[in-house]
């Protein structure tokens, strides 16, 4: 499942995100969602979240 719909993402879900610094390489960072930062229901580049580790990025894939 991709991460463009806010309704698919909730705190506690395991996801893969792309950090801002990794956007050019596409390197993915796994983690657990702590907070959803994007307010709109969808975003073409992925919903922006904060992981429990404190990292912020856009969801590319939902693992759960």
């Amino acid at each position: 499942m991709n991460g463009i719909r806010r309704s698919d993402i909730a705190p506690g879900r395991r996801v893969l995100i792309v950090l801002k610094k990794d956007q050019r390489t596409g390197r993915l960072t796994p983690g657990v969602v702590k907070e959803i930062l994007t307010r709109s229901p969808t975003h073409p580049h992925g919903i922006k979240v904060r992981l429990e580790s404190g990292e912020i990025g856009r969801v590319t894939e939902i693992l759960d």
Side-chain angles (χ1 to χ4, degrees):
M1 195 178 320
N2 63 21
I4 63 169
R5 288 189 0 209
R6 191 176 193 272
S7 61
D8 293 339
I9 301 167
R13 294 205 75 174
R14 290 179 348 133
V15 295
L16 293 176
I17 67 168
V18 174
L19 302 173
K20 182 76 170 179
K21 67 177 185 172
D22 294 329
Q23 284 180 343
R24 289 182 184 228
T25 64
R27 182 173 167 264
L28 301 177
T29 303
V32 177
V33 176
K34 178 179 180 181
E35 181 182 1
I36 300 172
L37 303 176
T38 299
R39 297 277 181 225
S40 64
T42 63
H43 193 284
H45 301 295
I47 300 298
K48 189 179 280 189
V49 298
R50 176 178 287 119
L51 300 180
E52 289 181 349
S53 64
E55 296 171 301
I56 296 174
R58 295 199 181 272
V59 176
T60 58
E61 191 174 339
I62 300 168
L63 300 175
D64 288 332

